[in-house]
Amino acid sequence: MQIKYKIVSLLFISLFAISCGKKEEPKGEAATLQTKEKHDEAPQTIAELTDEQIKSVGITLGTFEMKELTSTIKANGLLRVPNNKKATVTSLYGGVIQTIKVQIGDFVRKGQVLATVSNPEYIQVQERYLTVKSRISFAEQEFRRQKELFENDAGAKKNLQSADSELKSLRTQRASLQRQLQLIGISPEKVSNGNLRSGLVITSPISGTISNINAQIGSYVDVSSPVLDIIDNQSIHLDLQIFEKDLPTMEVGQTVHFKLTNNPETEYDAKIYSIGSSFENESKTISVHASVTANKTGLIDGMNITGIVSLDKSTTPAIPNEAIVEADGKYYVFVQTDKKGDEHHEENNSKQDLKKESKTINFQKIEVVKGSSDMGYTAITPVSEIAPDAKIVVKGAFFVNAKLTDSSEHGH
């Protein structure tokens, strides 16, 4: 009986020990599950990047910009230079191009010599001038002689009248030839028998930039042949095409922000100075003219543009469109922060050690609400506070988000 009792006791003790041992395992599993649930409830929001990663991907930081994105009208148009600021340069006389002193893109001032033209006829003009000038001296002497004879009743009146007429005719010819010499760039005072020029200079009628050269050295040009084209791009303005329904909102003095169709990276400003009063051709649009203010670099007559007309002075904080990433139906931006990400994964310890060897920058993922968008910018309202001077990823945000997503997947 005692032996039986001992066996039962030993069996009971063994079962109790086994059951206690089995209870310890669930505790470990439960702890692991609890840790995972905790991690799932608090997803990673800090992305850590090294300097090498930032440079290789081309991540760029920026800040909030105040943009006029509300109460605006979008319009297409062209850049134009007024006709009184363009010039087609021709030669006043036909001839052969001797020299061209400018190149396309050069800035020239009014009166500057652009080219020289050679023609024997120019010598003939100077020759006629010298001949007329010499004849005037003789005619003046003859007129004085006939006048003295007439006053002394020794000469006929018709001789005096003939001498007077000849003198006036020669003086008229001289004035005409002087003007011709001046037009071809020759000073009449410098014309002499030993200083006859066979060439003339072509000068610039306006100040501006050489946009085209139609002639070359050795080519013949006449009075109708264009030699060069000059355009004054400093007088460039916008011709915006505004639809009839938007015309009542247009006013002189309104600001226009515009970008070139072939270069949407740079934004320019203009101010409306004139509103058309008739439709353009068969379209239902009216031309609105705006003068370009401030920067005019790279603007050329005929370029296509897209403009935004600001109807009021209200502004809002905005960032470039590519600074915003979408995930799970929400929108986010990445802001540089001093906060550290979760370092609870033992498998990432080696990676963390490598990161510490090079400088790293942390970015926090913050949810935002999108507002109106235009000209490559979007107004945003942060769900949680973002400092006005905070550094925001404005280029490369997609890569930062991918890096954060990759870290989160490896973490779980």
Side-chain angles (χ1 to χ4, degrees):
M1 192 72 180
Q2 289 180 351
I3 294 171
K4 186 178 180 181
Y5 177 77
K6 287 181 179 179
I7 292 171
V8 171
S9 299
L10 289 171
L11 182 63
F12 178 77
I13 292 170
S14 299
L15 290 172
F16 180 77
I18 292 171
S19 65
C20 289
K22 287 182 178 181
K23 284 180 182 180
E24 288 177 1
E25 285 182 15
K27 283 184 181 180
E29 292 176 0
T32 303
L33 290 172
Q34 186 177 0
T35 302
K36 288 183 178 180
E37 289 175 0
K38 184 178 179 182
H39 292 162
D40 291 339
E41 291 174 2
Q44 280 187 281
T45 60
I46 306 295
E48 185 175 323
L49 283 81
T50 64
D51 283 341
E52 290 76 11
Q53 290 173 324
I54 292 173
K55 291 177 182 178
S56 63
V57 179
I59 293 173
T60 304
L61 303 182
T63 57
F64 284 115
E65 297 184 43
M66 300 305 292
K67 293 287 181 181
E68 296 176 347
L69 300 179
T70 58
S71 301
T72 60
I73 291 177
K74 188 174 183 178
N76 296 322
L78 290 172
L79 289 172
R80 291 295 188 195
V81 172
N83 286 337
N84 64 344
K85 296 297 182 180
K86 300 177 184 178
T88 298
V89 182
T90 59
S91 175
L92 295 173
Y93 294 90
V96 177
I97 298 291
Q98 274 190 321
T99 61
I100 298 175
K101 298 181 178 297
V102 292
Q103 296 181 356
I104 294 177
D106 287 352
F107 178 81
V108 296
R109 299 192 178 279
K110 184 177 181 179
Q112 181 177 332
V113 175
L114 306 177
T116 59
V117 180
S118 176
N119 192 322
E121 292 182 5
Y122 307 151
I123 297 178
Q124 296 175 7
V125 175
Q126 298 168 76
E127 181 184 348
R128 290 199 303 270
Y129 172 73
L130 291 174
T131 301
V132 169
K133 188 176 178 182
S134 177
R135 289 177 60 189
I136 286 176
S137 299
F138 175 77
E140 287 174 343
Q141 294 175 7
E142 180 63 18
F143 174 74
R144 287 193 296 268
R145 191 176 71 83
Q146 291 294 335
K147 185 177 181 181
E148 290 177 2
L149 290 173
F150 178 74
E151 290 175 350
N152 295 322
D153 295 326
K157 184 176 181 180
K158 65 177 183 179
N159 293 337
L160 175 62
Q161 291 175 338
S162 177
D164 182 46
S165 177
E166 176 69 11
L167 178 60
K168 288 180 179 178
S169 176
L170 290 171
R171 285 175 174 173
T172 301
Q173 292 180 47
R174 183 182 63 180
S176 175
L177 291 168
Q178 282 179 335
R179 184 57 183 157
Q180 290 182 51
L181 291 172
Q182 290 171 347
L183 288 174
I184 64 178
I186 298 176
S187 174
E189 292 78 14
K190 295 182 179 180
V191 176
S192 64
N193 291 326
N195 187 29
L196 297 180
R197 293 172 54 185
S198 62
L200 64 84
V201 295
I202 299 176
T203 58
S204 176
I206 63 171
S207 295
T209 303
I210 303 295
S211 59
N212 193 26
I213 299 178
N214 304 293
Q216 61 185 17
I217 295 174
S219 61
Y220 181 85
V221 294
D222 55 32
V223 292
S224 62
S225 301
V227 179
L228 306 103
D229 294 321
I230 302 174
I231 188 167
D232 181 9
N233 281 322
Q234 291 303 310
S235 302
I236 203 164
H237 70 273
L238 299 186
D239 276 353
L240 290 174
Q241 301 305 313
I242 303 296
F243 288 103
E244 183 181 3
K245 64 181 180 65
D246 297 323
L247 189 60
T249 61
M250 295 292 101
E251 294 180 2
V252 173
Q254 287 174 328
T255 299
V256 181
H257 303 293
F258 70 95
K259 291 185 177 182
L260 304 178
T261 303
N262 62 353
N263 181 24
E265 299 295 326
T266 306
E267 182 177 296
Y268 301 86
D269 294 327
K271 184 169 289 187
I272 295 176
Y273 69 86
S274 175
I275 299 175
S277 56
S278 61
F279 291 111
E280 292 291 317
N281 300 325
E282 297 180 357
S283 66
K284 286 295 182 180
T285 60
I286 297 92
S287 285
V288 172
H289 309 286
S291 57
V292 181
T293 58
N295 180 29
K296 298 179 183 178
T297 304
L299 302 184
I300 299 175
D301 181 47
M303 282 183 166
N304 293 303
I305 63 98
T306 300
I308 298 295
V309 182
S310 299
L311 303 182
D312 55 39
K313 296 297 182 180
S314 61
T315 58
T316 182
I319 57 176
N321 293 341
E322 59 181 323
I324 304 171
V325 295
E326 183 179 1
D328 302 325
K330 296 181 180 180
Y331 299 98
Y332 301 89
V333 297
F334 286 92
V335 180
Q336 185 175 341
T337 181
D338 293 330
K339 296 179 181 178
K340 301 295 182 181
D342 296 333
E343 298 181 1
H344 50 272
H345 307 299
E346 293 180 3
E347 62 193 45
N348 287 338
N349 284 342
S350 59
K351 294 182 179 180
Q352 296 295 337
D353 292 338
L354 290 173
K355 286 182 179 179
K356 289 177 182 178
E357 293 178 0
S358 59
K359 185 180 178 182
T360 58
I361 299 178
N362 291 354
F363 299 98
Q364 184 175 7
K365 185 177 182 181
I366 298 179
E367 183 182 352
V368 296
V369 177
K370 290 175 61 176
S372 57
S373 297
D374 257 320
M375 302 297 288
Y377 283 82
T378 298
I380 64 166
T381 302
V383 174
S384 56
E385 185 178 358
I386 298 178
D389 59 346
K391 296 293 184 181
I392 301 171
V393 177
V394 296
K395 187 175 181 180
F398 178 81
F399 175 81
V400 180
N401 187 58
K403 182 72 169 58
L404 181 63
T405 303
D406 182 66
S407 298
S408 299
E409 290 176 353
H410 281 83
H412 296 295

